[in-house]
Each structure stands twice: as structure tokens, then as C-alpha cells.
Amino acid sequence: MIRAQGGVWVPRSAWQAWPVSSQQASRPDRRLELQRRALASLASLPASVRELGDLFAGHGHELALVGGPVRDAFLGEAFHDLDFATSARPVETERLLRSWGDASWDIGKEFGTIGARKGDVVVEVTTYRTEAYEVGSRKPAVQYGDTLEGDLSRRDFTVNAMAVRLPELTFVDPHDGLGDLAEQVLRTPVTATQSFDDDPLRIMRAARFTAQLGFDVAEDVMAAMTEMAARLEIVSAERVRAELERMLTSRWPRRGLEIMVYTEVADVVLPELAELQQTVDEHKRHKDVYEHTLTVLDKAVALETGPDGPVPGPDLVLRLAAVMHDVGKPATRRFEAGGGVSFHHHELVGAKLTAKRLKALRFDKATIKDVTRLVELHLRFHGYGDGAWTDSAVRRYVTDAGPLLERLHRLTRADCTTHNQRKAMRLSAAYDDLEERIAALREQEELKAIRPELGGEQIMEILGIPAGPQVGQAYKFLLELRMERGPVGQDAAREALEAWWAERA
């Protein structure tokens, strides 16, 4: 037996008799399927979770599974996190979790959250709470609440405002999150304006859940996103970046970006993307760069590989590079005398804009470096099909890309969005040829680790010089020789080095 509406879980045979509102009745089959999935998922909860519910109840406290795990149970997805809400205050929660688990931690205690592990089961338990931003603060102020219903009312969206009480497994849904889950729409438990005013980061979460779940956003939520987008400026860059990362690595990142641009949230968070709309040319002299960018993102996602491939998805670096690869175009667009349009050096301008934006969003140095480099290199391939590259040029392409080569392959292929099938086939064939040449050269020369035939110690011995800048200059000369001529052998390298040294002398 499980409890459902009004507080009583009904047996499976009675599910079809559940009363539904006129709004919910539009998708009764969907509702029923969600209920079946939830029953199967909740039946698989580990026994230790039931024990935890008994423990809290035995000490006079409420405990409920809340938020994402409940939503995912209805969607039939595996539990990734087990988040609970409780009437117990953090000190009591910590005491109970220590007696239940093998280990516990209080890293989130200031927000009322205590974590614990028992075997393979990891849980986080948070005291019922409400939170809102104080004037001038970049962090939300937390206040503890007294009821589960009050705790659910402060959550971001109705689909995340459902709970299952333990240990009796009572389903609690005061805001009809199940109905919105069936309708695949994001609504807020309270008015959207109040919700976003309490925590402006929920504006970004709306975009993230659109990308993650593939859901639509209710009209009042979209209106509030537009009206209150500027409120995101009081949220720390780290929190905004975390939501942006989760959105971009979701299943449908394009949906999230589109809603951000449509509601003007991108003007605050990712203005370089929003500004691509300025390149729309009413005379159709060039393609719509904004739509092109979204298409490149879709194609790049499709080119990601499985976990054993060279670019396992979701790959944040590749996806960020796809989003940012043309952000230099608005600043470099020029209308030429003959009616053409140029964007000279937009890849270099775009790389600088990309680095600046990612730094502002507090991305880590490695991500900034890699994404910026891909933006800078994304045009390097163009022209390959017009004239054969020398082996030296191919080596430089590989060397300049370094560990980003496989991502660069995918970004370059994704960047071909032409509707001209003949041109698309020609570009694809040209890149196939380039990849084949890279593979052949790599096999011949171990291209991934190009080194001169003579190392630093040998250079010093041959030239009779001590360690210092001259050794580095000689090494660079030999590397250039290696790039230009391929493997020449140590004897030929020595002769070339001595001749170079004699000319300098």
C-alpha cells in the first residue's frame, strides 16, 4: 500500500480512479505512466533508507525524500542523489546520522544540511527552511521552517516541490507538481516574481531544467525571467557558472540557450551570445550567425563519443567552444564594396572575448585556456580544400591543437552548416582527407610527441655551450627543422645545427 492524493497511498489497481482536475485530464495516460514508474522506483529504495525513516520517526522527527529524487522517480530515472528534508534541527540531524551511518559530514551545516554514508548509500538531510536574499547580499539568508509543506513552497518549481514521507512512503504534492510533470511544463509553487525575488538564481535554473528535462516554461515564468533578469547580478558568479555548466552539459543545451536569449537573461549572463542577433542581415548577404551558432552546438553534441571514445559526452569544453566560436563576428563585420561581407580575424577577437567572459564567470584556468584555444583555431582548416597542405602545414595543425585535436576535429566539422549539399560534401571530404593524412603522419612519425632529433644535452655537447637561452634557441631551430622536413636522422640534424651555429657566429 502506498499513499497518494489527500494523504492515502492507494493500491495499484485503484490508480485509474484517482480524481484529476480539468487541467490534469489533458494527459491522463501520461499521469498513469508516471505513477507506475514512481511505484517501481520507490520499491527499489535501499533498506537502509527505510531504516533512516524509522530512526527519525522514533525520535519524534519528520523525514521526507524531496526534490530531484522524487521527480526522477516519476520519470523512471535512477536515483543519483538522495536528498531529504526534516523537521529536526541540524544538531539533532547530525547526531542521528552518526548513529545510522558509517560516516557523516557537516560541510553544509550553515545551510542546515548534514551528509552521511551507510555502505553505498549516500544521503543529505536538510532542515525545513525558507531562504531569501537580503538587500545588498550575494548569498541567500537561511531561516528554518516547521512544516514540510512550507519547505516545499519555497522550492524553485512545482516538479521539484514533491515529497515522499518516510517511513510510511506518503506522497505529498501540495502544488500539483505531478500534473506539471505530466504536462512537461515548469511552473513555480508561488508566483514566479516572488520565487525569483527570493532567489534570483532560479532564473538560471529555469533555463537549466528546460535543457535537462526538455520541458516548456510557463508564460508567467518567462515573463518574470525577463522582468527580473537583472536580479542575477546580485548572485555570485560561481553559482551562475555552476547552473550554466549544468545547462550546457544537459541533453538539450540549445533549449536552455534559446530561453536565455528570448527572456534577455543572456544579456546578463552571456551577452556575447545575445549580441550575435545583431548580425542578422535584412539583405541576406550572409547567414544568421545566432542560428548558425545554435546549429553548430547541436552538431557538436551529436559528434561527441561514448565513454571509450576520444571526446566522451557531455564535453563542456567542446560545447562552450561551439557556443563562443563566432562571438567575434559582431565586432568585425564589414560590408565590402562589391556587396560581400567580411569578418576578418573574428576568431582572434572571439578568443579574447571568450577568455574575458569565462574569467568573469569564474571558470577554472584549464577550461578557459582550452575553450579560448579552440575558438582561436576553429578557422584554421578553411582553405585546406582549396590547395593541398604540405606535410609541414599538417604537422603544425596537429602541434598547435595539441591535446585539443579531437575536439578541434569535431568543432570544425560542426561549423559546416551550409544548406548547399555540394559544398557540404566537398568540405566533409576535405576534412576526411586531412584526418587521413594526420593518421598517416602520426603512424610514420609518432606525431603526438614531435621532438627534435637532438635533445638539450646533445646540443650543449655539439656546440660546446652551457645551459642557457642559446640552448633554447638551438632547440627551437631543430624543432622548426623537424616540422619542415620531418624525421631527418641525428647526423643530418647535427650538420644542420652546426651550419646554423656557424651562421650565427
Side-chain angles (χ1 to χ4, degrees):
M1 294 282 290
I2 305 190
R3 256 199 229 189
Q5 285 193 152
V8 180
W9 275 95
V10 294
R12 184 184 310 210
S13 60
W15 277 6
Q16 292 184 357
W18 281 11
V20 294
S21 66
S22 58
Q23 178 185 4
Q24 299 163 357
S26 60
R27 286 195 175 180
D29 293 340
R30 171 70 173 164
R31 255 180 103 86
L32 182 59
E33 177 60 25
L34 292 174
Q35 292 160 2
R36 287 173 175 163
R37 290 176 181 174
L39 183 63
S41 295
L42 293 172
S44 68
L45 279 173
S48 56
V49 172
R50 295 288 189 96
E51 294 172 8
L52 187 63
D54 289 331
L55 178 63
F56 273 73
H59 285 79
H61 301 297
E62 298 177 1
L63 184 72
L65 186 68
V66 294
V70 179
R71 180 199 69 224
D72 290 344
F74 279 101
L75 294 176
E77 298 181 4
F79 294 115
H80 299 293
D81 303 296
L82 290 174
D83 297 325
F84 297 88
T86 182
S87 58
R89 292 303 189 252
V91 172
E92 178 68 1
T93 297
E94 186 174 15
R95 185 181 70 81
L96 293 175
L97 288 179
R98 282 180 177 175
S99 67
W100 168 81
D102 303 322
S104 65
W105 50 91
D106 61 358
I107 192 170
K109 192 171 183 177
E110 64 176 315
F111 297 105
T113 301
I114 308 295
R117 175 184 57 80
K118 184 170 186 177
D120 295 331
V121 176
V122 178
V123 302
E124 286 192 349
V125 182
T126 303
T127 301
Y128 296 157
R129 67 189 186 185
T130 58
E131 63 184 31
Y133 278 77
E134 297 178 350
V135 176
S137 173
R138 296 177 68 85
K139 293 184 179 180
V142 177
Q143 295 180 339
Y144 297 131
D146 298 315
T147 66
L148 175 60
E149 289 75 12
D151 183 86
L152 295 177
S153 71
R154 57 154 287 277
R155 294 181 177 267
D156 49 12
F157 301 103
T158 59
V159 296
N160 297 327
M162 302 181 289
V164 175
R165 291 185 187 274
L166 297 176
E168 68 274 17
L169 295 180
T170 304
F171 179 48
V172 181
D173 185 15
H175 304 287
D176 192 28
L178 183 56
D180 290 337
L181 205 61
E183 294 292 332
Q184 298 186 331
V185 64
L186 293 176
R187 304 183 197 278
T188 50
V190 295
T191 66
T193 301
Q194 178 183 338
S195 180
F196 294 160
D197 191 56
D198 288 344
D199 185 356
L201 188 64
R202 292 171 180 169
I203 296 171
M204 282 297 296
R205 288 187 189 139
R208 190 248 292 184
F209 282 118
T210 296
Q212 178 180 327
L213 303 174
F215 285 9
D216 293 326
V217 179
E219 289 187 12
D220 66 309
V221 176
M222 279 200 295
M225 290 173 71
T226 304
E227 177 186 351
M228 305 184 70
R231 282 276 287 167
L232 280 167
E233 293 175 353
I234 74 167
V235 182
S236 68
E238 289 81 1
R239 296 185 75 207
V240 173
R241 183 209 67 231
E243 289 298 329
L244 182 63
E245 282 187 10
R246 296 180 73 176
M247 184 195 78
L248 288 174
T249 54
S250 292
R251 186 174 179 182
W252 297 283
R254 175 175 181 152
R255 292 179 63 102
L257 293 176
E258 286 178 325
I259 194 69
M260 284 178 62
V261 172
Y262 181 78
T263 58
E264 300 176 11
V265 171
D267 292 354
V268 178
V269 177
L270 209 58
E272 294 80 7
L273 176 66
E275 287 171 6
L276 292 181
Q277 296 177 106
Q278 297 177 8
T279 62
V280 174
D281 180 13
E282 61 183 7
H283 300 294
K284 308 294 183 183
R285 285 168 289 187
H286 64 83
K287 61 191 172 188
D288 183 333
V289 182
Y290 170 66
E291 287 296 329
H292 163 75
T293 295
L294 297 178
T295 302
V296 170
L297 174 62
D298 285 340
K299 295 182 68 176
V301 170
L303 290 171
E304 291 172 343
T305 65
D308 297 327
V311 185
D315 189 271
L316 177 65
V317 169
L318 176 61
R319 296 183 182 199
L320 273 171
V323 172
M324 304 297 288
H325 80 284
D326 271 351
V327 296
K329 281 192 170 180
T332 58
R333 183 173 67 167
R334 299 289 184 273
F335 293 105
E336 306 295 347
V341 181
S342 66
F343 301 94
H344 292 311
H345 303 304
H346 77 267
E347 73 280 12
L348 302 180
V349 174
K352 292 180 180 178
L353 292 173
T354 297
K356 183 179 179 180
R357 178 54 48 198
L358 298 188
K359 287 177 183 176
L361 288 168
R362 302 292 193 274
F363 277 91
D364 62 276
K365 292 181 179 179
T367 298
I368 295 172
K369 179 181 177 182
D370 289 348
V371 175
T372 301
R373 187 61 168 157
L374 285 172
V375 172
E376 182 182 350
L377 292 175
H378 83 274
L379 283 185
R380 183 70 67 85
F381 164 75
H382 291 271
Y384 178 85
D386 299 331
W389 281 6
T390 63
D391 285 350
S392 173
V394 175
R395 291 188 194 101
R396 290 183 186 283
Y397 186 79
V398 174
T399 303
D400 288 347
L404 298 173
L405 181 62
E406 291 293 343
R407 289 186 176 111
L408 183 58
H409 286 335
R410 283 152 180 78
L411 179 60
T412 302
R413 287 185 180 277
D415 195 25
C416 175
T417 61
T418 178
H419 295 296
N420 184 323
Q421 291 300 312
R422 183 174 297 178
K423 181 179 179 182
M425 290 176 64
R426 185 171 67 251
L427 287 171
S428 179
Y431 209 86
D432 288 343
D433 181 69
L434 175 58
E435 289 200 68
E436 289 172 4
R437 289 185 63 191
I438 290 172
L441 282 171
R442 177 175 288 146
E443 185 176 349
Q444 295 170 13
E445 308 174 10
E446 296 182 357
L447 195 58
K448 291 175 69 175
I450 290 179
R451 298 287 187 275
E453 268 107 345
L454 301 174
E457 293 290 338
Q458 292 168 299
I459 291 172
M460 288 188 286
E461 181 181 348
I462 294 169
L463 301 182
I465 59 176
Q470 291 179 322
V471 178
Q473 294 165 7
Y475 187 91
K476 184 177 180 181
F477 162 75
L478 290 171
L479 182 59
E480 290 288 335
L481 179 71
R482 176 73 170 77
M483 288 286 193
E484 291 294 337
R485 296 172 55 185
V488 297
Q490 288 196 356
D491 291 341
R494 179 180 183 129
E495 291 178 8
L497 175 64
E498 290 173 338
W500 171 81
W501 184 251
E503 288 179 7
R504 287 172 57 90

